[in-house]
Amino acid sequence: MTRTGRGGGKGGGQAPPFRETGPAGHRARMRARVLTSGAASLADYEIVEMLLFIGVPRRDTKPLAKALLNRFGSLGALLSAAPEALRDAGLSERAAEALALPAAVAECLSRPDPLTRTPMGDWDAVLLYCDTRLADAPSGQLRVLFLDSINHIIADEAVDDGVTGDTPELTQRHILMRALDLHASALVGIRIAPSWPPPVAMIEGDAVLMQAISYHAQNLSLTIQDHVFLRRGRWLSLRQQRRL
């Protein structure tokens, strides 16, 4: 007759250890629950628990989550509490920052972002945008409209192209790097002309700049839609002049 060991395992072996014990196992189960059932399946204290995972790395956060809800009265009051109030409740700086995340995200999502809803699909749209948004732009200023894959504006930025000593090469590099940073698919250059017609030297300089940008843009899957000179409702397009 074979004798079994203390753990009752066959041949006297030790019983296998329990898996996912302690705070780490609890956290893994909660994350799995969110992935399978969604965050709506969590109670208020469980939402606070999961946020505290960020700021309390190796501790059971359930008692703390419940104590915080009791102190502040509701989930909304807790998540909108001032950092000082959270620290007064005994939270570390890191834990307080974790509880501030939902309010910060909600604020970002609630901000109007008209630029990303502005389509630049044709000439009329470009000119209308310039007439309404750039009417007060300084004379001589160079601007770039960065567009996404469906020609909606991601950003409209003024570019320093010589006021502080930037060379054309630095201006070119700056525009290309910004396009990469913004994940832009296309761009439109705009020069606010100081006079009309624009000075020949300005046209020539911008043509060289945009041609150089266009050459390098091919390797970045970036399209240069056009470069336009504007002054009080009048415009001149490098593309229509076949210079781009």
Side-chain angles (χ1 to χ4, degrees):
M1 178 172 168
T2 304
R3 185 175 179 182
T4 59
R6 259 175 137 180
K10 186 176 180 180
Q14 294 294 321
F18 291 109
R19 288 181 294 177
E20 297 188 346
T21 58
H26 174 62
R27 295 180 181 199
R29 288 191 296 273
M30 288 192 70
R31 292 188 183 103
R33 182 172 152 199
V34 170
L35 291 174
T36 56
S37 304
S41 67
L42 300 177
D44 286 356
Y45 78 87
E46 291 176 315
I47 292 173
V48 178
E49 268 194 89
M50 293 199 72
L51 288 170
L52 289 172
F53 290 172
I54 303 170
V56 185
R58 288 179 295 277
R59 204 173 87 209
D60 182 5
T61 56
K62 184 186 292 185
L64 178 58
K66 290 183 175 181
L68 288 169
L69 285 173
N70 287 335
R71 181 185 180 108
F72 288 91
S74 70
L75 179 63
L78 172 59
L79 297 184
S80 60
E84 298 78 17
L86 295 174
R87 287 194 291 271
D88 288 344
L91 292 181
S92 66
E93 190 75 27
R94 185 175 176 185
E97 289 174 355
L99 290 187
L101 282 174
V105 171
E107 182 183 354
C108 290
L109 293 175
S110 67
R111 289 177 194 157
D113 192 3
L115 286 182
T116 58
R117 294 193 294 270
T118 304
M120 291 286 117
D122 55 34
W123 255 104
D124 289 340
V126 174
L127 296 178
L128 177 62
Y129 179 87
C130 293
D131 287 343
T132 56
R133 297 294 185 93
L134 303 182
D136 297 324
S139 175
Q141 186 179 71
L142 173 64
R143 302 189 72 88
V144 178
L145 306 183
F146 296 95
L147 312 177
D148 63 16
S149 59
I150 55 174
N151 287 334
H152 284 190
I153 296 178
I154 301 171
D156 169 6
E157 298 184 355
V159 176
D160 183 353
D161 66 327
V163 176
T164 60
D166 278 3
T167 64
E169 291 77 15
L170 286 176
T171 302
Q172 173 195 141
R173 177 180 173 81
H174 170 78
I175 292 172
L176 290 169
M177 292 300 294
R178 280 300 290 152
L180 285 174
D181 290 343
L182 294 166
H183 303 288
S185 296
L187 62 83
V188 177
I190 297 172
R191 174 73 73 176
I192 310 301
S195 59
W196 202 263
V200 173
M202 178 175 282
I203 296 174
E204 294 294 332
D206 280 10
V208 171
L209 173 66
M210 298 310 291
Q211 287 164 7
I213 292 174
S214 183
Y215 174 79
H216 292 290
Q218 298 175 56
N219 299 321
L220 305 176
S221 299
L222 179 68
T223 302
I224 313 303
Q225 301 282 35
D226 206 337
H227 183 76
V228 186
F229 296 87
L230 296 173
R231 181 174 172 82
R232 296 175 184 171
R234 291 179 286 188
W235 54 269
L236 182 150
S237 158
L238 286 184
R239 186 163 296 284
Q240 289 192 3
Q241 288 197 339
R242 301 183 184 278
R243 303 191 65 177
L244 187 59

Coordinates of all heavy atoms in Angstrom, one line a residue, residues 132-222:
T132 N -11.7 83.2 -42.8 CA -12.3 83.3 -41.5 C -11.3 83.1 -40.3 O -11.5 83.8 -39.3 CB -13.4 82.2 -41.3 OG1 -12.9 80.9 -41.6 CG2 -14.5 82.4 -42.3
R133 N -10.3 82.3 -40.5 CA -9.4 82.0 -39.4 C -8.1 82.8 -39.4 O -7.5 83.0 -38.4 CB -9.1 80.5 -39.4 CG -10.2 79.6 -39.1 CD -10.8 79.7 -37.7 NE -11.9 78.8 -37.4 CZ -11.7 77.6 -36.9 NH1 -10.5 77.2 -36.5 NH2 -12.7 76.8 -36.6
L134 N -7.7 83.2 -40.6 CA -6.4 83.8 -40.8 C -6.5 85.3 -41.2 O -5.5 85.9 -41.6 CB -5.6 83.0 -41.8 CG -5.4 81.6 -41.5 CD1 -4.5 80.9 -42.6 CD2 -4.8 81.3 -40.2
A135 N -7.7 85.9 -41.0 CA -7.8 87.2 -41.4 C -6.9 88.2 -40.6 O -6.5 89.2 -41.2 CB -9.3 87.7 -41.2
D136 N -6.6 87.9 -39.4 CA -5.7 88.7 -38.6 C -4.3 88.2 -38.4 O -3.6 88.7 -37.6 CB -6.4 88.9 -37.2 CG -7.7 89.5 -37.2 OD1 -7.9 90.4 -38.0 OD2 -8.6 89.1 -36.4
A137 N -3.9 87.3 -39.3 CA -2.6 86.7 -39.2 C -1.6 87.8 -39.6 O -1.9 88.6 -40.5 CB -2.4 85.5 -40.1
P138 N -0.4 87.9 -39.0 CA 0.6 89.0 -39.3 C 1.1 88.9 -40.7 O 1.2 87.8 -41.3 CB 1.7 88.7 -38.3 CG 1.1 87.9 -37.2 CD 0.0 87.1 -37.9
S139 N 1.3 90.1 -41.3 CA 1.8 90.1 -42.6 C 3.2 89.5 -42.7 O 4.0 89.6 -41.9 CB 2.0 91.6 -43.0 OG 2.6 91.8 -44.3
G140 N 3.4 88.7 -43.7 CA 4.6 88.0 -44.0 C 4.7 86.6 -43.3 O 5.7 85.9 -43.5
Q141 N 3.8 86.3 -42.4 CA 3.8 85.0 -41.7 C 3.7 83.8 -42.6 O 2.9 83.8 -43.5 CB 2.7 85.0 -40.6 CG 2.8 83.8 -39.7 CD 1.7 83.9 -38.6 OE1 0.5 83.6 -38.9 NE2 2.1 84.1 -37.4
L142 N 4.4 82.8 -42.2 CA 4.3 81.5 -42.9 C 3.5 80.5 -42.0 O 3.8 80.4 -40.8 CB 5.7 80.9 -43.2 CG 5.7 79.4 -43.7 CD1 5.0 79.3 -45.1 CD2 7.1 78.9 -43.8
R143 N 2.5 79.9 -42.5 CA 1.7 79.0 -41.7 C 1.6 77.6 -42.5 O 1.8 77.6 -43.7 CB 0.3 79.5 -41.5 CG 0.2 80.8 -40.8 CD -1.2 81.2 -40.4 NE -1.7 80.3 -39.3 CZ -1.5 80.6 -38.0 NH1 -0.9 81.7 -37.7 NH2 -2.0 79.8 -37.1
V144 N 1.3 76.6 -41.7 CA 1.2 75.3 -42.3 C -0.1 74.6 -41.7 O -0.3 74.6 -40.5 CB 2.4 74.3 -42.0 CG1 2.2 73.0 -42.6 CG2 3.7 74.9 -42.6
L145 N -0.9 74.1 -42.6 CA -2.1 73.3 -42.2 C -1.7 71.9 -42.3 O -1.4 71.4 -43.4 CB -3.3 73.7 -43.1 CG -3.8 75.1 -43.2 CD1 -5.0 75.2 -44.1 CD2 -4.0 75.7 -41.9
F146 N -1.7 71.2 -41.2 CA -1.4 69.7 -41.2 C -2.7 69.0 -41.3 O -3.6 69.2 -40.5 CB -0.6 69.3 -40.0 CG 0.7 70.0 -39.9 CD1 0.9 71.2 -39.2 CD2 1.8 69.4 -40.5 CE1 2.2 71.8 -39.1 CE2 3.1 70.0 -40.5 CZ 3.3 71.2 -39.7
L147 N -2.8 68.0 -42.3 CA -4.1 67.3 -42.5 C -4.0 65.9 -42.3 O -2.9 65.3 -42.4 CB -4.5 67.6 -44.0 CG -4.5 69.0 -44.5 CD1 -4.9 69.0 -46.0 CD2 -5.4 69.9 -43.7
D148 N -5.1 65.2 -42.0 CA -5.1 63.8 -41.8 C -5.4 63.1 -43.1 O -5.5 63.8 -44.2 CB -6.1 63.4 -40.7 CG -7.6 63.7 -41.0 OD1 -7.9 64.0 -42.2 OD2 -8.4 63.7 -40.1
S149 N -5.7 61.8 -43.1 CA -5.9 61.1 -44.3 C -7.2 61.4 -45.1 O -7.3 61.1 -46.3 CB -5.8 59.5 -44.1 OG -6.9 59.2 -43.1
I150 N -8.1 62.1 -44.4 CA -9.3 62.5 -45.1 C -9.4 64.0 -45.2 O -10.5 64.6 -45.4 CB -10.6 61.9 -44.5 CG1 -10.7 62.3 -43.0 CG2 -10.7 60.4 -44.6 CD1 -12.0 61.9 -42.3
N151 N -8.2 64.6 -45.2 CA -8.1 66.1 -45.4 C -8.8 66.9 -44.4 O -9.4 68.0 -44.7 CB -8.5 66.5 -46.8 CG -7.5 66.1 -47.9 OD1 -6.3 65.9 -47.6 ND2 -7.9 65.8 -49.1
H152 N -8.8 66.5 -43.1 CA -9.3 67.3 -42.0 C -8.1 67.9 -41.3 O -7.1 67.2 -41.2 CB -10.2 66.5 -41.1 CG -11.5 66.2 -41.6 ND1 -12.5 65.6 -40.8 CD2 -12.1 66.3 -42.8 CE1 -13.6 65.5 -41.5 NE2 -13.4 65.9 -42.7
I153 N -8.2 69.1 -40.8 CA -7.1 69.7 -40.2 C -6.8 69.1 -38.8 O -7.7 69.0 -38.0 CB -7.4 71.3 -40.0 CG1 -7.5 71.9 -41.4 CG2 -6.3 71.9 -39.2 CD1 -7.8 73.4 -41.3
I154 N -5.5 68.7 -38.7 CA -5.0 68.3 -37.4 C -4.5 69.5 -36.6 O -4.7 69.6 -35.4 CB -3.9 67.2 -37.5 CG1 -4.4 66.0 -38.3 CG2 -3.3 66.8 -36.2 CD1 -3.3 65.1 -38.7
A155 N -3.8 70.3 -37.3 CA -3.2 71.5 -36.6 C -2.9 72.6 -37.6 O -2.7 72.3 -38.8 CB -1.9 71.1 -35.9
D156 N -3.0 73.8 -37.2 CA -2.7 75.0 -38.0 C -1.7 75.7 -37.2 O -1.9 76.3 -36.1 CB -4.0 75.8 -38.1 CG -3.7 77.2 -38.7 OD1 -2.6 77.5 -39.1 OD2 -4.7 78.0 -38.8
E157 N -0.4 75.8 -37.7 CA 0.7 76.3 -36.9 C 1.5 77.4 -37.7 O 1.7 77.2 -38.9 CB 1.6 75.2 -36.5 CG 1.0 74.2 -35.6 CD 1.9 73.1 -35.1 OE1 3.1 73.1 -35.6 OE2 1.5 72.3 -34.3
A158 N 1.9 78.4 -37.0 CA 2.8 79.4 -37.6 C 4.2 78.8 -37.5 O 4.5 78.1 -36.6 CB 2.7 80.7 -36.8
V159 N 5.0 79.1 -38.5 CA 6.3 78.6 -38.6 C 7.3 79.7 -38.7 O 7.2 80.6 -39.5 CB 6.5 77.7 -39.9 CG1 7.9 77.2 -40.0 CG2 5.5 76.5 -39.9
D160 N 8.3 79.7 -37.8 CA 9.4 80.7 -37.8 C 10.3 80.3 -38.9 O 11.0 79.3 -38.8 CB 10.0 80.7 -36.4 CG 11.1 81.8 -36.3 OD1 11.4 82.4 -37.3 OD2 11.7 81.9 -35.2
D161 N 10.4 81.1 -39.9 CA 11.2 80.8 -41.1 C 12.3 81.8 -41.3 O 12.6 82.1 -42.4 CB 10.4 80.6 -42.3 CG 9.7 81.9 -42.8 OD1 9.4 82.7 -42.0 OD2 9.6 82.0 -44.0
G162 N 12.9 82.4 -40.3 CA 14.0 83.3 -40.5 C 14.0 84.4 -39.5 O 15.1 85.1 -39.3
V163 N 13.0 84.6 -38.7 CA 12.9 85.8 -37.8 C 14.0 85.6 -36.7 O 14.7 86.5 -36.3 CB 11.5 85.9 -37.1 CG1 11.5 86.9 -36.0 CG2 10.5 86.1 -38.1
T164 N 14.3 84.4 -36.3 CA 15.3 84.1 -35.3 C 16.6 83.5 -35.9 O 17.4 82.8 -35.3 CB 14.8 83.2 -34.2 OG1 14.4 81.9 -34.8 CG2 13.6 83.8 -33.5
G165 N 16.7 83.7 -37.2 CA 17.9 83.2 -37.9 C 17.8 81.8 -38.5 O 18.8 81.2 -38.9
D166 N 16.6 81.2 -38.5 CA 16.5 79.9 -39.1 C 16.8 79.9 -40.6 O 16.4 80.8 -41.3 CB 15.0 79.3 -38.9 CG 14.8 78.8 -37.5 OD1 15.8 78.8 -36.7 OD2 13.7 78.3 -37.3
T167 N 17.5 78.9 -41.0 CA 17.8 78.7 -42.4 C 16.7 78.0 -43.1 O 15.9 77.3 -42.4 CB 19.1 78.0 -42.6 OG1 18.9 76.6 -42.1 CG2 20.3 78.6 -41.9
P168 N 16.6 78.0 -44.5 CA 15.6 77.2 -45.1 C 15.6 75.7 -44.8 O 14.6 75.0 -44.7 CB 15.9 77.4 -46.6 CG 16.5 78.8 -46.7 CD 17.3 78.9 -45.4
E169 N 16.9 75.2 -44.6 CA 17.0 73.8 -44.2 C 16.4 73.5 -42.9 O 15.8 72.5 -42.7 CB 18.5 73.4 -44.2 CG 19.2 73.4 -45.6 CD 19.5 74.8 -46.1 OE1 19.5 75.8 -45.3 OE2 19.7 74.9 -47.3
L170 N 16.6 74.4 -41.9 CA 16.0 74.2 -40.6 C 14.5 74.3 -40.6 O 13.8 73.5 -40.0 CB 16.6 75.2 -39.6 CG 18.0 75.0 -39.1 CD1 18.4 76.1 -38.2 CD2 18.1 73.6 -38.4
T171 N 14.0 75.2 -41.4 CA 12.5 75.4 -41.6 C 11.9 74.1 -42.2 O 10.9 73.6 -41.8 CB 12.2 76.6 -42.5 OG1 12.8 77.8 -41.9 CG2 10.7 76.8 -42.6
Q172 N 12.6 73.6 -43.2 CA 12.2 72.4 -43.9 C 12.1 71.2 -42.9 O 11.2 70.5 -42.9 CB 13.1 72.1 -45.1 CG 13.0 70.8 -45.8 CD 14.2 70.5 -46.6 OE1 14.6 69.3 -46.7 NE2 14.8 71.5 -47.3
R173 N 13.2 71.1 -42.1 CA 13.3 70.0 -41.2 C 12.2 70.1 -40.1 O 11.5 69.1 -39.7 CB 14.6 70.0 -40.5 CG 14.8 68.9 -39.4 CD 16.2 69.0 -38.8 NE 16.3 68.1 -37.7 CZ 16.6 66.8 -37.8 NH1 16.7 66.3 -38.9 NH2 16.7 66.1 -36.7
H174 N 11.9 71.3 -39.7 CA 10.9 71.6 -38.6 C 9.5 71.1 -39.2 O 8.8 70.4 -38.4 CB 10.9 73.0 -38.2 CG 9.7 73.4 -37.4 ND1 9.6 73.1 -36.0 CD2 8.5 74.0 -37.7 CE1 8.5 73.5 -35.6 NE2 7.8 74.1 -36.6
I175 N 9.2 71.5 -40.4 CA 7.9 71.2 -40.9 C 7.7 69.7 -41.1 O 6.7 69.1 -40.8 CB 7.7 71.9 -42.3 CG1 7.6 73.4 -42.0 CG2 6.4 71.4 -43.0 CD1 7.5 74.3 -43.3
L176 N 8.7 69.0 -41.6 CA 8.7 67.6 -41.8 C 8.6 66.8 -40.4 O 7.8 65.9 -40.3 CB 9.9 67.1 -42.6 CG 9.9 67.5 -44.0 CD1 11.3 67.2 -44.6 CD2 8.8 66.8 -44.8
M177 N 9.3 67.3 -39.4 CA 9.3 66.7 -38.1 C 7.9 66.9 -37.5 O 7.4 66.0 -36.8 CB 10.4 67.2 -37.2 CG 11.8 66.8 -37.7 SD 12.1 65.0 -37.7 CE 11.9 64.6 -36.0
R178 N 7.3 68.1 -37.6 CA 6.0 68.3 -37.1 C 5.0 67.4 -37.7 O 4.1 66.9 -37.1 CB 5.6 69.8 -37.2 CG 6.2 70.7 -36.2 CD 5.8 70.3 -34.8 NE 4.5 70.6 -34.5 CZ 3.7 69.9 -33.6 NH1 4.3 68.9 -32.9 NH2 2.5 70.2 -33.4
A179 N 5.1 67.2 -39.0 CA 4.2 66.3 -39.8 C 4.3 64.9 -39.2 O 3.2 64.2 -39.0 CB 4.5 66.3 -41.2
L180 N 5.5 64.5 -38.9 CA 5.7 63.1 -38.3 C 5.1 63.1 -36.9 O 4.4 62.1 -36.6 CB 7.1 62.8 -38.3 CG 7.8 62.4 -39.6 CD1 9.3 62.2 -39.4 CD2 7.2 61.1 -40.2
D181 N 5.3 64.1 -36.1 CA 4.8 64.1 -34.7 C 3.3 64.1 -34.7 O 2.7 63.4 -33.8 CB 5.3 65.4 -34.0 CG 6.8 65.4 -33.7 OD1 7.4 64.3 -33.8 OD2 7.3 66.5 -33.5
L182 N 2.7 64.7 -35.7 CA 1.2 64.8 -35.7 C 0.6 63.7 -36.5 O -0.7 63.6 -36.6 CB 0.8 66.2 -36.3 CG 1.2 67.4 -35.6 CD1 1.0 68.7 -36.4 CD2 0.3 67.6 -34.3
H183 N 1.4 62.8 -37.1 CA 0.9 61.7 -37.9 C 0.1 62.3 -39.1 O -1.0 61.7 -39.4 CB 0.1 60.7 -37.1 CG 0.8 60.1 -35.9 ND1 1.8 59.2 -36.1 CD2 0.7 60.4 -34.6 CE1 2.3 58.9 -34.9 NE2 1.6 59.6 -34.0
A184 N 0.5 63.4 -39.6 CA -0.2 64.0 -40.7 C 0.0 63.3 -42.0 O 1.1 62.6 -42.2 CB 0.3 65.5 -40.9
S185 N -1.0 63.3 -42.9 CA -0.9 62.6 -44.2 C -0.6 63.7 -45.3 O -0.2 63.3 -46.4 CB -2.2 61.9 -44.5 OG -2.4 60.8 -43.6
A186 N -0.9 64.9 -45.0 CA -0.8 66.0 -46.1 C -0.6 67.3 -45.4 O -0.9 67.4 -44.2 CB -2.0 66.0 -47.0
L187 N -0.2 68.3 -46.1 CA -0.1 69.6 -45.6 C -0.3 70.7 -46.7 O -0.2 70.4 -47.9 CB 1.2 69.9 -44.9 CG 2.5 69.8 -45.6 CD1 2.9 71.1 -46.4 CD2 3.7 69.4 -44.7
V188 N -0.7 71.9 -46.2 CA -0.9 73.0 -47.1 C -0.1 74.2 -46.5 O -0.3 74.5 -45.3 CB -2.4 73.4 -47.2 CG1 -2.5 74.7 -48.1 CG2 -3.2 72.3 -47.8
G189 N 0.8 74.7 -47.3 CA 1.6 75.9 -46.8 C 0.8 77.2 -47.2 O 0.2 77.3 -48.2
I190 N 0.9 78.2 -46.3 CA 0.2 79.4 -46.5 C 1.1 80.6 -46.1 O 1.7 80.6 -45.0 CB -1.1 79.5 -45.7 CG1 -2.1 78.5 -46.1 CG2 -1.7 80.9 -45.8 CD1 -3.3 78.3 -45.2
R191 N 1.3 81.5 -47.0 CA 2.1 82.7 -46.7 C 1.2 83.9 -46.8 O 0.5 84.1 -47.8 CB 3.2 82.8 -47.8 CG 4.0 84.1 -47.6 CD 5.0 84.1 -46.5 NE 6.1 83.2 -46.7 CZ 7.1 83.1 -45.9 NH1 7.1 83.8 -44.7 NH2 8.1 82.3 -46.1
I192 N 1.2 84.7 -45.7 CA 0.4 85.9 -45.7 C 1.3 87.0 -46.3 O 2.3 87.5 -45.8 CB 0.1 86.3 -44.2 CG1 -0.5 85.1 -43.4 CG2 -0.9 87.5 -44.2 CD1 -1.8 84.6 -44.0
A193 N 0.9 87.3 -47.6 CA 1.7 88.2 -48.4 C 1.7 89.6 -47.8 O 0.6 90.1 -47.4 CB 1.2 88.2 -49.8
P194 N 2.8 90.3 -47.8 CA 2.9 91.7 -47.3 C 2.4 92.7 -48.3 O 2.0 93.9 -47.9 CB 4.4 91.9 -47.0 CG 5.1 91.0 -47.9 CD 4.2 89.8 -48.1
S195 N 2.3 92.3 -49.5 CA 1.8 93.3 -50.6 C 1.3 92.4 -51.7 O 1.4 91.2 -51.7 CB 3.0 94.1 -51.1 OG 4.0 93.3 -51.6
W196 N 0.6 93.1 -52.7 CA 0.1 92.3 -53.8 C 0.5 93.0 -55.1 O 0.3 94.2 -55.2 CB -1.4 92.2 -53.7 CG -1.9 91.0 -54.6 CD1 -2.4 91.1 -55.8 CD2 -1.8 89.7 -54.2 NE1 -2.6 89.8 -56.3 CE2 -2.3 88.9 -55.3 CE3 -1.4 89.0 -53.0 CZ2 -2.4 87.5 -55.2 CZ3 -1.5 87.6 -53.0 CH2 -2.0 86.9 -54.1
P197 N 1.0 92.3 -56.0 CA 1.3 90.8 -55.9 C 2.5 90.6 -54.9 O 3.2 91.5 -54.6 CB 1.8 90.5 -57.4 CG 2.3 91.8 -57.9 CD 1.4 92.8 -57.4
P198 N 2.6 89.3 -54.5 CA 3.7 89.1 -53.5 C 5.0 89.4 -54.1 O 5.2 89.2 -55.3 CB 3.5 87.5 -53.3 CG 2.1 87.2 -53.7 CD 1.8 88.2 -54.8
P199 N 6.0 89.8 -53.3 CA 7.3 90.0 -53.8 C 7.9 88.8 -54.5 O 7.7 87.7 -54.1 CB 8.1 90.4 -52.5 CG 7.1 90.8 -51.6 CD 5.9 90.1 -51.9
V200 N 8.6 89.0 -55.6 CA 9.1 87.9 -56.4 C 10.1 87.1 -55.6 O 10.0 85.8 -55.6 CB 9.8 88.5 -57.7 CG1 10.5 87.3 -58.4 CG2 8.8 89.1 -58.6
A201 N 10.9 87.7 -54.8 CA 11.9 87.0 -53.9 C 11.1 86.1 -53.0 O 11.6 85.0 -52.7 CB 12.8 88.0 -53.2
M202 N 10.0 86.5 -52.4 CA 9.2 85.7 -51.5 C 8.7 84.5 -52.2 O 8.7 83.4 -51.7 CB 8.1 86.5 -50.9 CG 7.2 85.7 -49.9 SD 6.0 86.8 -49.1 CE 7.0 87.5 -47.8
I203 N 8.1 84.7 -53.4 CA 7.6 83.6 -54.2 C 8.7 82.6 -54.5 O 8.5 81.3 -54.4 CB 6.9 84.1 -55.5 CG1 5.7 85.0 -55.2 CG2 6.5 82.9 -56.4 CD1 5.1 85.6 -56.4
E204 N 9.8 83.1 -55.0 CA 10.9 82.2 -55.3 C 11.4 81.4 -54.1 O 11.6 80.2 -54.2 CB 12.1 83.0 -55.9 CG 11.8 83.6 -57.3 CD 11.5 82.6 -58.4 OE1 12.1 81.5 -58.3 OE2 10.8 83.0 -59.3
G205 N 11.6 82.1 -53.0 CA 12.1 81.4 -51.8 C 11.1 80.4 -51.3 O 11.5 79.2 -50.9
D206 N 9.8 80.7 -51.3 CA 8.8 79.7 -50.8 C 8.7 78.5 -51.8 O 8.5 77.3 -51.4 CB 7.4 80.3 -50.7 CG 7.3 81.1 -49.4 OD1 8.4 81.3 -48.7 OD2 6.2 81.5 -49.0
A207 N 8.9 78.8 -53.1 CA 8.8 77.7 -54.1 C 10.0 76.7 -53.8 O 9.8 75.5 -53.9 CB 8.9 78.3 -55.5
V208 N 11.1 77.2 -53.6 CA 12.3 76.4 -53.3 C 12.1 75.6 -52.1 O 12.3 74.3 -52.0 CB 13.6 77.2 -53.2 CG1 14.8 76.3 -52.7 CG2 13.9 77.8 -54.6
L209 N 11.6 76.2 -51.0 CA 11.3 75.6 -49.7 C 10.3 74.4 -49.9 O 10.5 73.3 -49.4 CB 10.8 76.6 -48.7 CG 10.3 76.0 -47.4 CD1 11.5 75.4 -46.6 CD2 9.6 77.1 -46.5
M210 N 9.2 74.7 -50.5 CA 8.1 73.7 -50.7 C 8.5 72.6 -51.6 O 8.1 71.4 -51.4 CB 6.8 74.4 -51.1 CG 6.3 75.4 -50.1 SD 6.2 74.9 -48.4 CE 4.9 73.6 -48.5
Q211 N 9.3 72.9 -52.6 CA 9.8 71.8 -53.5 C 10.7 70.9 -52.7 O 10.7 69.6 -52.9 CB 10.5 72.4 -54.7 CG 9.6 73.1 -55.7 CD 10.3 74.0 -56.7 OE1 11.6 74.1 -56.7 NE2 9.6 74.7 -57.5
A212 N 11.6 71.4 -51.9 CA 12.5 70.6 -51.1 C 11.7 69.7 -50.1 O 11.9 68.5 -49.9 CB 13.5 71.5 -50.3
I213 N 10.7 70.3 -49.5 CA 9.8 69.6 -48.5 C 9.1 68.5 -49.3 O 9.0 67.3 -48.8 CB 8.8 70.5 -47.8 CG1 9.6 71.4 -46.9 CG2 7.7 69.7 -47.1 CD1 8.7 72.5 -46.3
S214 N 8.6 68.8 -50.5 CA 7.8 67.8 -51.3 C 8.7 66.6 -51.7 O 8.3 65.5 -51.7 CB 7.3 68.5 -52.5 OG 6.5 67.6 -53.3
Y215 N 10.0 66.9 -52.0 CA 10.9 65.9 -52.4 C 11.1 64.9 -51.2 O 11.1 63.7 -51.4 CB 12.3 66.5 -52.8 CG 13.4 65.5 -53.0 CD1 13.4 64.8 -54.3 CD2 14.3 65.2 -52.1 CE1 14.4 63.9 -54.5 CE2 15.3 64.3 -52.3 CZ 15.4 63.6 -53.5 OH 16.4 62.7 -53.8
H216 N 11.4 65.4 -50.0 CA 11.6 64.5 -48.9 C 10.3 63.9 -48.4 O 10.3 62.8 -47.8 CB 12.3 65.3 -47.7 CG 13.7 65.7 -48.1 ND1 14.7 64.8 -48.2 CD2 14.2 67.0 -48.3 CE1 15.8 65.5 -48.5 NE2 15.5 66.8 -48.6
A217 N 9.2 64.5 -48.6 CA 7.9 64.0 -48.1 C 7.5 62.7 -48.8 O 6.8 61.9 -48.2 CB 6.8 65.1 -48.3
Q218 N 8.0 62.5 -49.9 CA 7.7 61.2 -50.6 C 8.1 60.0 -49.8 O 7.4 59.0 -49.8 CB 8.4 61.2 -52.0 CG 8.0 62.3 -52.9 CD 8.8 62.2 -54.2 OE1 8.9 61.2 -54.9 NE2 9.4 63.3 -54.5
N219 N 9.2 60.1 -49.1 CA 9.7 59.0 -48.3 C 8.9 58.9 -46.9 O 9.1 57.9 -46.2 CB 11.2 59.2 -47.9 CG 12.0 59.2 -49.2 OD1 11.8 58.5 -50.1 ND2 13.0 60.1 -49.2
L220 N 8.0 59.8 -46.6 CA 7.3 59.8 -45.4 C 5.8 59.6 -45.6 O 5.0 59.8 -44.7 CB 7.5 61.2 -44.7 CG 8.9 61.6 -44.4 CD1 9.0 63.0 -43.8 CD2 9.6 60.6 -43.5
S221 N 5.4 59.2 -46.8 CA 4.0 59.1 -47.2 C 3.2 60.3 -46.9 O 2.1 60.3 -46.4 CB 3.4 57.9 -46.4 OG 4.1 56.7 -46.8
L222 N 3.9 61.5 -47.2 CA 3.3 62.8 -46.9 C 3.1 63.5 -48.2 O 4.0 63.5 -49.1 CB 4.2 63.6 -46.0 CG 3.8 65.0 -45.6 CD1 2.6 65.0 -44.7 CD2 5.0 65.7 -44.9

